[in-house]
Amino acid sequence: MSLALGFLFTYPLLTALWVPSGFSVDWDQHLAFSWVQYDTIWRFHQIPLWNPYKCGGIPGLGNPQDRILTPFTLLHLLAGPIAGLYLEVPLHFAVAWSGGYLLARVLGVSRLAAIGAATVFPASSWYALHATAGHADLLAFTLLPWVLVPALLAAECRRLSYTALSGAALALTFLDGNPYPTIYASLLMAAVLAAWALYRRSAWPLLVFGLALVFGVGFMAPKLLPAIDFMRAHPRPILHPEVNDYRVLGQLLWSRNQDFWLWPEVKWKWGFWESGAYAGLFIVPAIIGALVGGAAVLVWLFAGACMLLIWMGSHGPFSPWEILHHLPVFSIMRVPSRAIIPFTLTLAVMTGFGLDWIIKRTRRFGPAIALILIAVATVDCLLVVTPNYWYVVSKPESDVQPLPSDGFHQLSSAVPHHELNYARHNAGVKDCYEFTKKFPTAIKGYDQIYYQGEQYIIGPGTARLEQWTPNALEYDVDAASPSDLVIVNQNYDQSWRLARGTGQVFDFGVLPPGKIPGLPGFPGLLAVQVPAGHQRMELRYRPASVIAGTAIAVITLLVSLALWFVERRRAIGTLTPGR
């Protein structure tokens, strides 16, 4: 059912699976990410650790918005980078629906009511609007129910191995997306488990929350550690304080006009694609559930209220949005409107409670009433949100001007927002779209007057390219003096190392002291000082943080398996006769 609804709600994307969308800059950005990963793996047989096509060369795995470690990468490798990204949209819908169904069942909701609760979260317009905008890194919000289900089971059953499952799901929100789904998943879990601790009068939910965070950090370490290095080197600019007006909530949740280009009456920095969360007729059972759901529903009312307070943004120094910005990681957050996404999940849970009450209170006609309400509300959401996907396929990305065919080249005067097409033509772009305003780079495009090639030597020697791959560069170098420098026309990163040959890798803007007096440097340019003589030199991109993160993830997995084994043995022991 989850797959059927996923493809039904997103069917316009299926009409152009292999046609790259030029509808938005975010579609171009994530299609380019997908193509670079696909090409690096299939053509060069390398892990996409470095992306030479973007901004003069930046980390691939370390980029918080790059999604190489998502399980859906396998889909991209099999179906191709364009079709793979399109197919992710219905499949993430299915992930959200199935997770919502399990969450409702864990909370004791009947099967029919759980179907209604499961539909609310992905059928809401937030999902279609963000997908239409090309926010592939925000599709990971669909994993929110999967973070909560094992956490609640761990709190109820007191099974520590379930906290590892919750941590794994939390890690997936980062591996499959960017920090936004992870941070909001953590905040939602904190609100739910804190309220659950009061509801059950037990400290176990708080212990579960802490352990889930520890396991989550451990599992996401292969991407988290290089991402931290990347963010330190390129801090994210934060906009002025952002404010949302609670008076527009009615329009966001109930108005049937959920068009991508709609601007609410109260305008703010971001468009409607960051705000809409249509729930339609599902609001009716949600209100019923909030009124008659009993003590358990208070947990979700509290969590929903917390998300709405965050959604309101900067309403004074004591508003949750401002207070949270004093904390690490959250300090780089913007767009408080995205808090409406986890709020929609709390609304879905209350919908489940309301439908369950209708089914049980009116035993003769209750199931029929609930079924009709679910069907009508689902069709209503389908009619309201699905037309947005036609925007994606209505504007194919146009090709770029002819480029040199004699190998990789950096380009300066690139047409904005055509990163996919330039990468497909084996060209990197100097000025690109990323989370920072501009990368400080001294690279030169082949179309610039002072361009000297993708590699050159400062001095009387020569440097000739022997082999080019994204993660490894091999040169034949003939240096005439010990002061000769080999310059690579890509951005410097501390993880570039000499795998073969003799020399010192450094940032050309920070010259080795006393080595080359009087020579002006160019900040951010990759350079190697080589000794006099002839050598075969190979540069490789080897981030130590990826190795350390992988080791941490392996240890976390071993601890999780040990917990599962111990608790399983203990459970079997309690069932053994005579014990």
Side-chain angles (χ1 to χ4, degrees), residues 247-306:
R247 290 174 294 181
V248 302
L249 269 177
Q251 182 181 11
L252 305 183
L253 296 173
W254 301 318
S255 171
R256 297 188 81 255
N257 185 1
Q258 297 284 317
D259 186 80
F260 179 87
W261 293 115
L262 177 67
W263 282 86
E265 295 177 2
V266 181
K267 296 184 179 181
W268 46 77
K269 169 67 179 176
W270 308 103
F272 190 70
W273 58 85
E274 292 283 7
S275 306
Y278 180 71
L281 295 175
F282 284 116
I283 291 291
V284 175
I287 294 175
I288 294 174
L291 295 176
V292 301
V297 80
L298 294 177
V299 172
W300 302 96
L301 285 172
F302 172 75
C306 290

Side-chain angles (χ1 to χ4, degrees), residues 19 57 91 93 96 131 154 185 190 199 211 257 262 301 309 322-324 346 361 405 456 494 515 526 545:
V19 180
L91 292 180
F93 187 107
Y199 170 57
L211 289 177
N257 185 1
L262 177 67
L301 285 172
L309 287 174
E322 287 292 336
I323 294 173
L324 288 169
T346 66
R361 281 289 177 158
S405 58
Y456 55 93
Q494 61 181 359
K515 294 289 182 72
L526 179 58
S545 56

Side-chain angles (χ1 to χ4, degrees), residues 140-439:
F141 270 110
T142 57
L143 291 161
L144 291 186
W146 292 95
V147 176
L148 293 176
V149 166
L152 292 173
L153 286 174
E156 289 296 291
C157 304
R158 302 197 172 186
R159 295 282 295 273
L160 295 179
S161 55
Y162 289 166
T163 64
L165 288 176
S166 180
L170 183 65
L172 276 177
T173 63
F174 184 57
L175 302 179
D176 187 44
N178 64 32
Y180 279 94
T182 308
I183 290 173
Y184 279 115
S186 302
L187 292 173
L188 181 61
M189 184 166 54
V192 169
L193 291 179
W196 200 266
L198 293 174
Y199 170 57
R200 291 300 193 190
R201 297 181 182 179
S202 169
W204 256 91
L206 302 179
L207 175 63
V208 166
F209 174 66
L211 289 177
L213 288 184
V214 172
F215 279 112
V217 170
F219 282 122
M220 70 177 72
K223 179 180 176 181
L224 179 63
L225 295 187
I228 291 173
D229 290 341
F230 188 31
M231 294 292 287
R232 283 175 176 171
H234 305 281
R236 177 188 179 95
I238 298 299
L239 302 178
H240 61 276
E242 299 170 87
V243 179
N244 286 324
D245 192 332
Y246 69 91
R247 290 174 294 181
V248 302
L249 269 177
Q251 182 181 11
L252 305 183
L253 296 173
W254 301 318
S255 171
R256 297 188 81 255
N257 185 1
Q258 297 284 317
D259 186 80
F260 179 87
W261 293 115
L262 177 67
W263 282 86
E265 295 177 2
V266 181
K267 296 184 179 181
W268 46 77
K269 169 67 179 176
W270 308 103
F272 190 70
W273 58 85
E274 292 283 7
S275 306
Y278 180 71
L281 295 175
F282 284 116
I283 291 291
V284 175
I287 294 175
I288 294 174
L291 295 176
V292 301
V297 80
L298 294 177
V299 172
W300 302 96
L301 285 172
F302 172 75
C306 290
M307 294 303 107
L308 283 183
L309 287 174
I310 295 173
W311 170 87
M312 291 181 68
S314 304
H315 285 270
F318 299 106
S319 60
W321 181 258
E322 287 292 336
I323 294 173
L324 288 169
H325 268 74
H326 293 288
L327 301 177
V329 183
F330 201 95
S331 59
I332 63 171
M333 297 281 284
R334 58 185 184 182
V335 198
S337 303
R338 291 175 182 175
I340 205 167
I341 299 174
F343 168 77
T344 308
L345 182 58
T346 66
L347 197 68
V349 172
M350 288 184 279
T351 299
F353 286 132
L355 290 170
D356 206 41
W357 183 87
I358 294 173
I359 293 169
K360 294 176 180 177
R361 281 289 177 158
T362 53
R363 294 185 179 274
R364 186 174 180 182
F365 300 106
I369 294 173
L371 181 61
I372 293 172
L373 183 57
I374 292 170
V376 173
T378 302
V379 172
D380 177 55
C381 287
L382 177 70
L383 296 175
V384 169
V385 307
T386 300
N388 282 297
Y389 291 110
W390 288 112
Y391 286 122
V392 179
V393 299
S394 64
K395 185 181 178 182
E397 187 169 63
S398 57
D399 207 348
V400 295
Q401 68 269 24
L403 298 170
S405 58
D406 56 340
F408 174 80
H409 289 273
Q410 295 284 2
L411 187 65
S412 176
S413 59
V415 178
H417 313 321
H418 277 70
E419 293 178 21
L420 170 64
N421 277 326
Y422 286 115
R424 293 169 75 179
H425 286 80
N426 206 26
V429 292
K430 177 179 177 179
D431 298 320
C432 63
Y433 177 68
E434 258 301 328
F435 63 85
T436 62
K437 289 184 177 179
K438 190 173 183 180
F439 280 79

Side-chain angles (χ1 to χ4, degrees), residues 471-556:
N471 295 338
L473 304 167
E474 194 170 342
Y475 303 102
D476 186 87
V477 178
D478 194 356
S481 71
S483 62
D484 283 1
L485 292 178
V486 175
I487 307 298
V488 179
N489 196 37
Q490 290 194 44
N491 291 330
Y492 168 80
D493 187 278
Q494 61 181 359
S495 295
W496 279 106
R497 310 173 192 277
L498 271 181
R500 180 182 177 185
T502 306
Q504 181 181 357
V505 182
F506 64 97
D507 182 343
F508 195 29
V510 186
L511 297 175
K515 294 289 182 72
I516 318 169
L519 181 67
F522 296 93
L525 205 58
L526 179 58
V528 185
Q529 183 170 8
V530 294
H534 179 268
Q535 64 170 313
R536 191 69 169 258
M537 185 180 74
E538 183 181 2
L539 283 167
R540 281 191 175 272
Y541 186 71
R542 293 176 176 172
S545 56
V546 174
I547 300 173
T550 303
I552 293 173
V554 170
I555 294 171
T556 305

